Amino acid sequence: AMAGEGSTFRLRCSLLGHGQDVRGLTRGLFPEGGFVSVSRDRTARLWAPDGLNRGFTEMHCMSGHSNFVSCVCIIPPSDLYPRGLIATGGNDHNICIFTVDNPAPLYVLKGHKNTVCSLSSGKFGTLLSGSWDTTAKVWLNDRCMMTLQGHTAAIWAVKILPEQGLMLTGSADKTIKLWKAGRCERTFTGHEDCVRGLAILSEMEFLSCANDASVRRWQISGECLQVYYGHTNYIYSISVFPRCKDFVTTGEDRSLRIWKQGECAQTIRLPAQSVWCCCVLDNGDIVVGASDGIIRVFTESLERTASAEEIQAFENELAQASIDPKTGDLGDINADDLPGREHLKDPGTRDGQTRLIKDNGKVEAYQWSVSEGRWIKIGDVVGSSGATQQTSGKVLFEGKEYDYVFTIDVNENGPSYKLPYNITDDPWLTAYNFLQKNDLNPMFLDQVAKFIMDNTKGQTLLSTSNQFSDPFTGAGRYVPGSSSGSSTISGADPFTGAGRYVPGSASNAVPPVGGVDPFTGMGAYQSTAAKVENIYFPKKDAVTFDQANPTQILGKLKELNGIAAEEHKLTEDDLIILEKLLSATCNTSAETPTAQQLQTLWRAVNWPEDIVFPALDILRLSVRHPTVNENFCSEKEHVQFIILLLKFLNPKGKQANQLLALRALCNCFVSHAGQKLMMEQRDEIMTQAIETKSGNNKNIHIALATLTLNYAVCLHKVNNVEGKAQCLSVISTVMEVVQDLEAIFRLLVALGTLISDDTNAVQLAKSLGVDSQIKKYASVSEPAKVKECCRFVLNLL
């Protein structure tokens, strides 16, 4: 039956303006009937209804973020700002506050340590923000009033409830929390994956949507009243219609769904994979933003509906979309069993029902529209024919034979690319080379690698080489089954290369590990692809910088002392004292460092920064000695000591000083006093140390990675969520800039140590997207330790 007006949403207009994914939308207060959008293109745009026709005009474009903008909300009018304010949150960890008529921010709120991905405003100018740093913050004007701590993973959604002091947060830890005056009153559990969106129905009820493809309706008192199913993939956003309980959702299954009386009343497919956000305007029209950068508005009103040509153009764009069957949006597909075009003669049974047909060897997807009484084509299904591979014969590509040649559609309108692959190839390396060769965004790395693995059903040939070597030194190590059963080194220590102490293994005989038969001592039979043992993490002890050349250091010190200003000059006696200190701390003499030696060292390390480095190097070496460690890190001295080292971490200062200060901080971890001090000052030290990543100096990067690793070792012993969150955030940030593989390796060990035996930390790392960041290192050929360690970390994630 044809339904009358007011029952079906149709396209009103498509708005071009943003250059990349539209990630957030909110209805505006001014101009009336307008809205604000934010995007990965780093801008926010204010749209006003276009009086003459059915469209909208861009009033202005606001810039203030140095990275993607991910969320937006309106702060209601006040005496000072009668038109209200616009708040935007971004991947640069900041929140920008704009007035409606200025493209530059009025002010910027800083405080979060990671992406701000959700904002909600309340009465009296309060603003609630949610971040990947696992906290939510409550702001009043330009001040952070409190931080809500309790979630163990990224907070994707926040909402302030109409009743004062009540706030909701939804997190990647799968829970929703209700906060009253900054304290958690209740935790709502039920979702099976990350909670992505929240919407308020009344003072007593709210809705949530999640990556588990369900929507839930909750009572504030804690019970779940209803679960709505309909989406076939992650649901990213949810928005409620004014003055009723109906709502709309959007998600990763290319669709916008309209829910009425608890049922999915209409499904609108879009020609973009990710439909990130939606909002409902006062007149009931729906605005959606997607990964193709286009904003689309849908309406029930006939006079606001787009012209027949625009609707036809939208349908054509949809029909040309290519749908990857691997997303599961269309169920399991077997191309051979599909009916032909005649199948479309039978009407559908419900709105949004999908049907696949095969036409001339091509698989097409259609969706039933109740209001129009017809099947609308929603795209071509790619990658479901693949007949050549199924006959398991080789496929020719550019004159060479391959086991597979895939066709990859990176976006709907662009060209498709051929990706040749042999099962002996490494999927990660193949994906990486394919993206390089075709000049495609490296962000697709894990998608392409996963596509290869899914489509080859894991038919990789396990080619394990028998030349395993130690990750830090390259020495060979014992691998069960890789040799006849005799072995030289029993699991060399990855940092030093020395055979490590194994309790109960006489002197250093080979312990009966893995492939040795306990009865005969002979190597037992093992398949060639023997399990590689994880000797990398969790790391138990700090890593230090021990290398020393006392003669050189003292020579340099004397040379620079010659040119030092009078007030800094050291006497002959001073230099002898420092020489004694060096030999005492570099284990060449059995003497204990004296107070006099330490006072002299303290004078030397306070030299001007252009000549201080040899003194800093003596400090770096001597702080490993328990006496020195105790002296500088104890209660009374430590403030000066930390201030001194932090001063040298200034990225504008000399690189030699940055390097030695980082190494000295690493060496502080050898004794209890140093560890205690490093943990107490963690926030300050890490915040300052991370700044040294900017100079592209590989030795500084290795020292920074080692400092992070030493913190990970300490944090593995005490469960400190905030500390781990900071450390993970540092690893993620530093990974972005570091090129040197030794630094990468130490960051991977740090990451593995942090997340070992801690599901919360694993969740947190995932919610920060660390897994996709490190995947490319799973195919590094040399040194092998990088690849192996990376794969062990990926197994945990």
Side-chain angles (χ1 to χ4, degrees):
M2 284 297 285
E5 175 176 351
S7 61
T8 306
F9 280 86
R10 292 187 184 79
L11 184 70
R12 170 175 168 181
C13 60
S14 299
L15 304 171
L16 304 165
H18 283 295
Q20 290 187 47
D21 305 45
V22 177
R23 290 300 302 254
L25 287 163
T26 185
R27 65 187 185 86
L29 293 171
F30 173 88
E32 217 172 308
F35 62 90
V36 185
S37 60
V38 297
S39 159
R40 286 182 66 132
D41 67 9
R42 309 184 178 196
T43 68
R45 291 166 200 253
L46 177 63
W47 303 84
D50 183 325
L52 304 168
N53 57 27
R54 311 174 181 91
F56 287 80
T57 347
E58 187 183 309
M59 298 267 293
H60 68 200
C61 176
M62 295 159 272
S63 308
H65 288 282
S66 59
N67 207 328
F68 311 152
V69 193
S70 28
C71 56
V72 57
C73 83
I74 299 291
I75 298 174
S78 61
D79 295 342
L80 202 52
Y81 301 104
R83 291 173 166 184
L85 295 168
I86 296 163
T88 60
N91 281 41
D92 57 6
H93 313 182
N94 293 344
I95 299 165
C96 290
I97 308 290
F98 297 91
T99 56
V100 292
D101 40 24
N102 189 337
L106 182 65
Y107 52 86
V108 177
L109 306 177
K110 292 176 182 282
H112 277 297
K113 296 192 173 70
N114 211 317
T115 296
V116 178
C117 52
S118 181
L119 291 166
S120 173
S121 61
K123 297 176 179 161
F124 318 115
T126 49
L127 180 68
L128 174 62
S129 59
S131 163
W132 291 0
D133 65 12
T134 76
T135 70
K137 288 184 184 286
V138 184
W139 308 82
L140 190 60
N141 306 320
D142 55 355
R143 277 273 144 77
C144 176
M145 304 307 283
M146 56 183 152
T147 300
L148 310 183
Q149 288 175 316
H151 281 293
T152 55
I155 295 180
W156 278 105
V158 295
K159 275 282 182 276
I160 295 185
L161 283 151
E163 190 189 319
Q164 267 144 48
L166 284 183
M167 297 177 176
L168 288 169
T169 54
S171 163
D173 64 13
K174 308 177 193 175
T175 69
I176 299 161
K177 289 184 183 285
L178 176 71
W179 307 79
K180 184 158 187 148
R183 277 205 319 280
C184 179
E185 293 269 301
R186 183 170 293 115
T187 300
F188 301 78
T189 54
H191 277 298
E192 287 158 38
D193 206 339
C194 303
V195 178
R196 296 298 290 260
L198 292 166
I200 307 297
L201 288 171
S202 67
E203 294 207 350
M204 299 313 299
E205 288 184 21
F206 67 93
L207 297 162
S208 61
C209 65
N211 279 2
D212 61 10
S214 75
V215 173
R216 287 174 176 256
R217 182 160 63 92
W218 307 85
Q219 237 172 349
I220 296 288
S221 57
E223 69 194 281
C224 178
L225 303 172
Q226 200 172 351
V227 185
Y228 308 86
Y229 294 104
H231 280 279
T232 57
N233 208 323
Y234 300 169
I235 306 177
Y236 292 134
S237 88
I238 183 163
S239 189
V240 179
F241 283 105
R243 298 170 293 283
C244 70
K245 290 198 172 180
D246 296 341
F247 58 93
V248 293
T249 51
T250 64
E252 182 62 17
D253 58 5
R254 321 169 73 93
S255 75
L256 150 72
R257 292 175 196 248
I258 292 123
W259 303 77
K260 297 191 170 173
Q261 277 99 48
E263 296 287 320
C264 178
Q266 192 184 349
T267 301
I268 297 173
R269 300 269 171 179
L270 294 175
Q273 183 65 55
S274 311
V275 190
W276 292 117
C277 51
C278 59
C279 72
V280 178
L281 301 177
D282 290 335
N283 60 11
D285 288 4
I286 302 165
V287 188
V288 294
S291 52
D292 58 2
I294 297 173
I295 297 167
R296 294 179 178 86
V297 187
F298 294 89
T299 184
E300 284 183 304
S301 141
L302 290 178
E303 58 257 27
R304 290 197 298 273
T305 300
S307 65
E309 297 81 47
E310 287 174 272
I311 288 183
Q312 191 54 54
F314 174 65
E315 284 187 14
N316 293 347
E317 199 184 346
L318 195 55
Q320 283 156 17
S322 28
I323 300 172
D324 178 357
K326 301 301 163 306
T327 57
D329 301 346
L330 304 165
D332 288 330
I333 298 168
N334 184 345
D336 303 334
D337 305 345
L338 293 174
R341 192 162 287 288
E342 70 285 348
H343 191 42
L344 299 176
K345 293 200 173 75
D346 310 333
T349 49
R350 58 182 176 78
D351 192 80
Q353 179 187 358
T354 52
R355 194 166 272 185
L356 301 179
I357 62 144
K358 194 169 178 182
D359 191 33
N360 292 329
K362 265 186 25 189
V363 179
E364 300 179 352
Y366 286 81
Q367 174 181 303
W368 180 249
S369 162
V370 170
S371 58
E372 318 229 345
R374 66 187 176 100
W375 290 98
I376 296 173
K377 183 178 174 195
I378 58 168
D380 294 308
V381 180
V382 292
S384 55
S385 50
T388 42
Q389 283 87 334
Q390 285 159 2
T391 54
S392 81
K394 294 275 186 179
V395 195
L396 280 174
F397 175 67
E398 296 182 342
K400 296 194 190 77
E401 285 192 331
Y402 292 92
D403 294 326
Y404 296 88
V405 175
F406 299 113
T407 303
I408 305 268
D409 288 279
V410 180
N411 64 29
E412 284 82 26
N413 331 351
S416 46
Y417 300 88
K418 294 281 185 231
L419 186 157
Y421 178 75
N422 284 317
I423 52 175
T424 49
D425 297 343
D426 183 304
W428 297 107
L429 202 55
T430 307
Y432 180 75
N433 291 336
F434 163 77
L435 295 172
Q436 292 281 82
K437 178 184 168 192
N438 294 299
D439 199 8
L440 297 169
N441 190 329
M443 283 206 2
F444 291 118
L445 182 71
D446 38 353
Q447 271 168 283
V448 176
K450 188 172 182 311
F451 175 84
I452 296 172
M453 290 186 279
D454 289 347
N455 285 287
T456 51
K457 288 288 173 279
Q459 292 182 344
T460 44
L461 299 180
L462 284 163
S463 54
T464 10
S465 74
N466 286 341
Q467 286 73 51
F468 287 110
S469 63
D470 169 280
F472 277 70
T473 62
R477 70 169 193 269
Y478 171 68
V479 178
S482 66
S483 63
S484 62
S486 66
S487 162
T488 44
I489 298 187
S490 61
D493 177 308
F495 289 84
T496 63
R500 55 173 194 257
Y501 168 66
V502 179
S505 60
S507 67
N508 208 359
V510 180
V513 184
V516 181
D517 181 309
F519 291 92
T520 64
M522 294 295 291
Y525 170 75
Q526 278 218 328
S527 70
T528 45
K531 260 280 194 255
V532 181
E533 179 195 1
N534 182 359
I535 59 169
Y536 304 106
F537 60 81
K539 188 98 183 70
K540 294 287 194 284
D541 302 304
V543 177
T544 51
F545 290 90
D546 302 327
Q547 206 188 340
N549 186 331
T551 337
Q552 262 189 340
I553 296 171
L554 288 163
K556 197 72 192 165
L557 189 72
K558 285 175 184 161
E559 176 194 323
L560 293 170
N561 191 44
I563 61 164
E566 258 339 287
E567 73 265 24
H568 294 303
K569 267 205 189 357
L570 299 171
T571 63
E572 235 9 77
D573 286 344
D574 289 337
L575 292 169
I576 292 165
I577 287 170
L578 288 177
E579 189 170 341
K580 283 197 172 138
L581 173 65
L582 253 184
S583 66
T585 55
C586 290
N587 302 335
T588 44
S589 76
E591 290 173 33
T592 301
T594 64
Q596 184 195 23
Q597 290 169 0
L598 296 179
Q599 280 157 0
T600 310
L601 174 59
W602 186 248
R603 274 175 37 221
V605 294
N606 281 287
W607 270 7
E609 72 162 15
D610 50 343
I611 58 169
V612 74
F613 65 90
L616 269 182
D617 215 357
I618 298 175
L619 176 66
R620 167 205 46 121
L621 288 164
S622 47
V623 80
R624 297 170 309 160
H625 193 289
T627 315
V628 184
N629 199 295
E630 182 64 47
N631 178 76
F632 283 130
C633 301
S634 68
E635 293 302 319
K636 55 182 196 300
E637 297 295 337
H638 74 253
V639 182
Q640 293 325 103
F641 178 65
I642 288 293
I643 289 172
L644 175 88
L645 290 178
L646 290 181
K647 180 183 80 183
F648 291 125
L649 292 181
N650 181 349
K652 295 192 177 65
K654 278 181 79 84
Q655 289 203 324
N657 296 345
Q658 292 174 38
L659 176 65
L660 293 168
L662 284 170
R663 287 181 173 178
L665 287 166
C666 291
N667 288 356
C668 284
F669 282 86
V670 295
S671 286
H672 181 72
Q675 280 179 22
K676 186 164 173 288
L677 173 64
M678 300 312 281
M679 290 301 276
E680 280 168 6
Q681 304 291 324
R682 185 202 77 243
D683 201 331
E684 195 66 28
I685 293 172
M686 287 300 249
T687 308
Q688 194 58 50
I690 198 169
E691 296 303 322
T692 61
K693 73 181 170 40
S694 52
N696 279 328
N697 179 312
K698 79 171 209 181
N699 288 327
I700 288 180
H701 285 171
I702 292 170
L704 177 56
T706 309
L707 179 63
T708 314
L709 171 53
N710 287 350
Y711 271 115
V713 170
C714 285
L715 288 162
H716 180 66
K717 295 174 188 152
V718 297
N719 196 15
N720 172 336
V721 177
E722 195 192 332
K724 285 191 170 182
Q726 185 185 27
C727 232
L728 283 168
S729 173
V730 168
I731 291 170
S732 167
T733 314
V734 177
M735 278 277 183
E736 293 284 339
V737 293
V738 170
Q739 303 284 312
D740 180 75
L741 289 174
E742 181 58 31
I744 292 291
F745 171 67
R746 293 185 182 204
L747 289 170
L748 288 169
V749 176
L751 177 57
T753 302
L754 276 177
I755 64 177
S756 290
D757 325 316
D758 183 347
T759 47
N760 288 340
V762 170
Q763 285 274 310
L764 181 58
K766 276 184 169 161
S767 62
L768 294 176
V770 175
D771 47 352
S772 55
Q773 242 184 336
I774 66 172
K775 277 178 176 160
K776 61 175 180 238
Y777 298 115
S779 52
V780 168
S781 51
E782 281 302 313
K785 63 181 184 180
V786 173
K787 167 171 76 182
E788 285 176 23
C789 185
C790 180
R791 290 180 178 178
F792 281 120
V793 176
L794 288 171
N795 288 343
L796 290 182
L797 292 169

